[in-house]
Amino acid sequence: MPKITTKDGTEIFYKDWGPKSATPVVFHHGWPLSADDWDNQMMFFLLQGYRVIAHDRRGHGRSTQTFAGNEMDTYAADVAALTDHLDLKGAIHVGHSTGGGEVAHYVARAKPGRVAKAVLIGAVPPIMVKSEKNPGGLPIEVFDGFRAALVANRAQFFLDVPAGPFYGYNRPGAKVSQGVIENWWRQGMMGGAKAHYDCIKAFSETDFTEDLKAIEVPTLVMHGDDDQIVPYADSAPLSVKLLKKGTLKTYAGLPHGLCTTHPEVVNPDLLAFFKS
């Protein structure tokens, strides 16, 4: 399995499919998943002639189950190490949920020429937790609840999330896929409990405001307005206002995991943005 080793000895697993001469698209997964969450999009864009790359964030999937470094600065540094190793130029970075935060944090710091465009899907920026500066955010008690559930019974928690709010399967009339639920569980349980615990703080309390302001490349912000994990009103519209070249695409009634539940909607919109 292809891996790179970072400065602190962490092994980062990655997939790299397609011709090296093609435009690279780098996919960044959400918590607590892995590169496998992008299988649909990777196959779609591979068949469209792109070079597709996805990594397992440290502590997730097939990467090292790290005790330390489970925060955005290190996540972004890991991405930089990967892009340097692969010598990517003019890449498009696509992040979902926590991965959207990782994209914002990396792209704001990327070496000149490395990044051409960025996409934030159901992403956590600007900041999730409620505060005086962010009155529309979620109370810290929500995230404390995530941590408590993870410690008490991670296996059950990692069934409850996809079976309910993540894919909108708790909505009346939802078309539930047991395979999708079990695949979410499989990916989650591959990672490390400590890293997943730490990552809750990383995705909920990191303030990406300055990152968004610093991004120079065209950035597409995609979000379902029935997102029960990263509420729409306190995320996508606020992010677009901070971006220099931001475009907002809102999906009526779609859930947090829209890339999985509605790839026939998401993929063509991504393709159009890539080609624009």
Side-chain angles (χ1 to χ4, degrees):
M1 296 194 298
K3 292 183 178 181
I4 62 163
T5 302
T6 66
K7 290 180 180 179
D8 69 354
T10 299
E11 290 189 326
I12 303 294
F13 168 85
Y14 68 94
K15 307 176 187 184
D16 181 4
W17 305 341
K20 299 297 185 284
S21 59
T23 299
V25 183
V26 184
F27 294 95
H28 304 243
H29 65 79
W31 172 94
L33 304 172
S34 72
D36 294 355
D37 196 45
W38 290 108
D39 281 355
N40 183 289
Q41 282 71 38
M42 289 186 71
M43 288 301 301
F44 178 87
F45 287 102
L46 181 68
L47 297 174
Q48 291 288 334
Y50 289 85
R51 177 185 179 185
V52 294
I53 299 155
H55 69 292
D56 290 356
R57 186 172 302 114
R58 64 169 53 218
H60 296 64
R62 289 139 294 201
S63 294
T64 303
Q65 293 196 7
T66 41
F67 172 78
N70 306 310
E71 32 71 25
M72 282 293 164
D73 286 348
T74 307
Y75 295 160
D78 291 346
V79 174
L82 178 61
T83 57
D84 284 351
H85 174 76
L86 298 176
D87 194 24
L88 301 182
K89 296 181 175 67
I92 303 167
H93 284 261
V94 181
H96 174 243
S97 196
T98 300
E102 183 177 270
V103 166
H105 214 58
Y106 164 72
V107 172
R109 294 159 175 73
K111 294 177 182 177
R114 287 281 187 228
V115 181
K117 295 180 180 179
V119 183
L120 310 179
I121 307 176
V124 297
I127 183 170
M128 287 193 73
V129 73
K130 184 177 182 177
S131 67
E132 289 185 7
K133 292 183 179 180
N134 185 39
L138 294 172
I140 189 68
E141 289 79 13
V142 171
F143 305 107
D144 289 342
F146 288 175
R147 282 182 277 263
L150 188 150
V151 170
N153 188 340
R154 184 169 67 129
Q156 186 61 51
F157 182 42
F158 283 5
L159 283 176
D160 294 342
V161 173
F166 198 93
Y167 297 113
Y169 288 163
N170 55 348
R171 296 305 198 205
K175 184 179 179 181
V176 178
S177 168
Q178 190 62 31
V180 165
I181 294 169
E182 293 181 10
N183 190 42
W184 200 102
W185 184 90
R186 175 191 68 85
Q187 292 178 71
M189 294 306 292
M190 286 171 66
K194 172 61 164 60
H196 288 166
Y197 185 95
D198 292 349
C199 189
I200 294 169
K201 181 180 178 69
F203 74 65
S204 64
E205 296 183 42
T206 303
D207 188 343
F208 299 97
T209 299
E210 296 306 316
D211 293 331
L212 295 169
K213 290 179 180 179
I215 294 172
E216 300 284 348
V217 299
T219 304
L220 176 62
V221 180
M222 310 168 79
H223 216 109
D225 70 3
D226 192 34
D227 193 320
Q228 300 172 68
I229 303 295
V230 182
Y232 173 83
D234 196 56
S235 50
L238 304 184
S239 290
V240 168
K241 289 180 181 179
L242 295 166
L243 290 160
K244 291 184 176 73
K245 300 177 182 177
T247 301
L248 176 61
K249 187 80 175 181
T250 303
Y251 297 91
L254 294 198
H256 186 61
L258 68 170
C259 295
T260 297
T261 59
H262 294 80
E264 74 285 357
V265 174
V266 173
N267 292 351
D269 285 349
L270 284 172
L271 182 61
F273 176 67
F274 292 178
K275 289 183 173 182
S276 65

